Amino acid sequence: MSKQFRIKRTYSSIPVVAGGFATIDLPRGYDYESIHIRLTGSVQVTTLATAVRAEAPCQAIARVEVVADGRNTLYSAPFWACVLGKYDRPSMLESGARVTTPPSGVAVATYAIEALGVVDFMTPDGERAKDSNFRTDGLQLFQLRLTFGNPGDLFVGGVAAFVAGLAVEVTTVEMVELPDAKGERTTPMALKKVSFQEIAVPTTNANQEIRIPAGNMIKSVLLRTEGGVTAGEPGATVLNNLQVFSGVDVRANIKAGSIRGQNNNDYGQLTPGYYIVDLARNGSGTARLSELWDVTNQAEPKISMDITGGANVKAQVVTTEYLALR
């Protein structure tokens, strides 16, 4: 019988350079369950701000990407998606776990901040989480790429702010699969990918469509809407209805308020403006990969929004999909 054990290690700690980026070469050789990203340190405010943004300090990291062999992007999404949008970790939302420590004020001062993000290759809410672990022993490169925002992005009101000892700690969780007496070891059954799209919605549209990835199997769509009241701030006032479909294959057609209600029943309280349609999980603590939406032979899977537009209104979609390996 094959055996396994797990390795957890903080691999890198890098300073945040406002408006810059960082590329971290990750160790290769084992099966990745997750990459934990901890943003910690301080920001110094030098002019009075209007308010602290609802998702602060997630704005300090604008984009998170995980790339294999320099060309295969496994994860690409804003930092808020792996901090406040990690709904598939069953204990995170239900228990009200703290994932952010925003600035405690808007006056001229230095404020301690923290944000705890995680990129999962495993399926945390799956019946066997390791079925989608990512095997790295055949890779030439495995990299985490971070694009940093500006410290003023944490506030409303065009505030001037500076990084004061802000850093990112990267911790990996890897599983070592040991061969059995025949020299065989357990292999992952699927490859998990997460992608991101964003559009501006300047005018009201009862059928605003966004294409989502085709060719694999879709687990969930996480939609974030912003700008209904304040530019850049998520809010639950602009979306009226959401459909997830491909041609006549309609998998969801739900009023915005009902999505939020279902999400509250299934996961707990979400940030206003976040909407989750998970096609493999409904109420129970586990998702079944057998219930993924198979779009391998469908050309145009889409979402369609009935949305109230505006000068600052945007819609962002984070799609989680799986590619079957066997």
Side-chain angles (χ1 to χ4, degrees), residues 3-113:
K3 295 183 179 181
Q4 62 197 20
F5 64 88
R6 186 173 288 108
I7 297 174
K8 300 182 178 183
R9 48 184 169 174
T10 297
Y11 183 72
S12 181
S13 180
I14 57 174
V16 172
V17 179
F21 65 92
T23 300
I24 300 102
D25 289 316
L26 298 171
R28 308 180 305 277
Y30 304 127
D31 295 358
Y32 269 70
E33 290 189 327
S34 56
I35 301 170
H36 292 256
I37 304 167
R38 177 176 179 249
L39 173 73
T40 181
S42 302
V43 292
Q44 182 181 2
V45 177
T46 57
T47 60
L48 181 67
T50 302
V52 177
R53 291 196 178 274
E55 299 161 303
C58 294
Q59 296 85 354
I61 301 177
R63 181 66 68 93
V64 176
E65 297 172 284
V66 180
V67 182
D69 282 340
R71 63 183 184 276
N72 298 317
T73 301
L74 306 177
Y75 187 98
S76 178
F79 191 44
W80 56 258
C82 60
V83 177
L84 297 168
K86 53 188 183 187
Y87 70 91
D88 54 355
R89 285 193 161 240
S91 63
M92 195 280 288
L93 291 172
E94 289 92 328
S95 65
R98 179 190 62 82
V99 293
T100 61
T101 301
S104 57
V106 295
V108 175
T110 299
Y111 299 99
I113 61 172

Side-chain angles (χ1 to χ4, degrees), residues 73-298:
T73 301
L74 306 177
Y75 187 98
S76 178
F79 191 44
W80 56 258
C82 60
V83 177
L84 297 168
K86 53 188 183 187
Y87 70 91
D88 54 355
R89 285 193 161 240
S91 63
M92 195 280 288
L93 291 172
E94 289 92 328
S95 65
R98 179 190 62 82
V99 293
T100 61
T101 301
S104 57
V106 295
V108 175
T110 299
Y111 299 99
I113 61 172
E114 185 180 42
L116 309 173
V118 60
V119 174
D120 282 316
F121 295 102
M122 65 175 179
T123 303
D125 57 353
E127 292 188 334
R128 195 172 80 152
K130 75 172 189 175
D131 279 344
S132 61
N133 284 356
F134 183 63
R135 182 151 292 172
T136 63
D137 58 5
L139 298 181
Q140 300 298 315
L141 283 173
F142 190 46
Q143 296 174 314
L144 172 67
R145 299 176 182 174
L146 303 176
T147 302
F148 299 122
N150 293 297
D153 298 340
L154 280 60
F155 302 90
V156 177
V159 63
F162 299 93
V163 170
L166 201 57
V168 174
E169 295 177 359
V170 177
T171 300
T172 63
V173 181
E174 303 155 67
M175 181 170 286
V176 182
E177 296 283 358
L178 300 176
D180 60 16
K182 297 181 180 179
E184 299 176 350
R185 56 178 176 163
T186 302
T187 58
M189 299 179 62
L191 173 66
K192 182 179 180 181
K193 298 184 69 175
V194 175
S195 58
F196 170 75
Q197 295 162 276
E198 178 182 53
I199 63 167
V201 189
T203 58
T204 297
N205 193 331
N207 188 31
Q208 177 66 63
E209 294 184 349
I210 302 177
R211 290 185 181 181
I212 55 180
N216 296 318
M217 295 179 290
I218 293 175
K219 180 180 186 289
S220 65
V221 172
L222 166 61
L223 174 67
R224 176 186 180 273
T225 57
E226 68 170 52
V229 178
T230 304
E233 284 288 86
T237 61
V238 297
L239 183 69
N240 304 307
N241 193 80
L242 177 66
Q243 295 185 63
V244 181
F245 69 100
S246 178
V248 297
D249 182 2
V250 181
R251 295 302 173 107
N253 185 359
I254 317 173
K255 296 289 186 183
S258 293
I259 299 174
R260 294 277 302 172
Q262 289 184 17
N263 292 166
N264 189 74
N265 291 336
D266 292 345
Y267 314 116
Q269 185 174 357
L270 292 173
T271 302
Y274 288 26
Y275 303 87
I276 298 165
V277 177
D278 190 332
L279 301 171
R281 178 181 168 194
N282 186 31
S284 65
T286 57
R288 295 176 174 85
L289 298 188
S290 60
E291 297 176 2
L292 298 175
W293 183 22
D294 188 350
V295 292
T296 54
N297 296 312
Q298 299 187 30

